[in-house]
Amino acid sequence: MVGRLLGYLAICDPREQSIGELAEALLASRSAIANAVSTLDTLGLIRRSRAAGERMDRICIDLTAPRSTGFDVAEYQEQGDLAREGLALLADEPPERRAVLLEWAAFADFLVARLPELEKDWKAHRESLRAAGDLPDIQQPR
C-alpha cells in the first residue's frame, strides 16, 4: 500500500489529497491509507497540511525535505556511530573480525561528508533544468 500511495501521490490532481480521497482513488480502506500515510510521514516523504476551517489533513509528496531526496545525513551519522560502538566493543579483536564494522563506519562517514556537496550539486542542476524549461517548478503546498 505504501508504494501504491506514493505512486498515486506522484501523479494525482490536485496534488493535495485527503485520506478519504486517497482511499477512494486506490480502492483501499481508510485505515490502510492512514497506515501508509503514517509510514511515508515517518520516512519524511510527504507533507500534511490543513486549510483553515477544514477538519481533515491533506497529503502530498514533499520534495523539499532532505529525507525525501535522500540527502539527510542524520541516518548515516547514526549508522557510523553505531558501527563505532561495535568497534569499541571489539577493540581487542583482530582486524578481520572488525572488518565489517570498519567498512560500515567508513562508508557512513563517506556519505556524511559527500551528501551535502551532492545536494548542492543537485539543486544547481535542478535549477539549470528549470531555467532551460526541461523541468517545471513544483510549487509545494503550505
Side-chain angles (χ1 to χ4, degrees):
M1 184 54 62
V2 172
R4 287 177 58 202
L5 177 58
L6 192 57
Y8 183 72
L9 287 171
I11 63 166
C12 64
D13 186 27
R15 289 190 56 234
E16 293 179 306
Q17 300 277 312
S18 70
I19 298 286
E21 291 165 338
L22 293 167
E24 183 178 325
L26 294 172
L27 303 175
S29 69
R30 292 174 63 88
S31 64
I33 297 298
N35 287 335
V37 164
S38 179
T39 299
L40 292 173
D41 197 19
T42 300
L43 294 172
L45 298 176
I46 61 166
R47 178 182 307 181
R48 293 174 186 245
S49 61
R50 186 176 293 184
E54 277 193 350
R55 293 178 42 186
M56 64 187 162
D57 286 346
R58 298 247 168 222
I59 314 299
C60 70
I61 288 180
D62 183 3
L63 295 177
T64 63
R67 288 189 71 194
S68 70
T69 54
F71 292 118
D72 185 8
V73 299
E75 185 174 336
Y76 299 110
Q77 288 170 330
E78 291 173 15
Q79 287 182 20
D81 292 345
L82 183 61
R84 281 183 279 285
E85 283 181 35
L87 287 167
L89 293 172
L90 300 177
D92 297 330
E93 297 295 327
E96 296 79 23
R97 175 122 189 260
R98 302 172 66 216
V100 170
L101 292 176
L102 287 166
E103 186 165 340
W104 185 10
F107 181 64
D109 293 344
F110 172 81
L111 290 175
V112 166
R114 293 291 310 275
L115 280 174
E117 182 180 327
L118 286 171
E119 181 178 20
K120 184 176 157 186
D121 290 349
W122 161 245
K123 287 179 178 178
H125 181 66
R126 179 184 63 198
E127 290 310 310
S128 69
L129 291 171
R130 286 180 177 160
D134 294 331
L135 186 66
D137 188 10
I138 298 173
Q139 297 299 317
Q140 290 293 325
R142 292 281 169 206

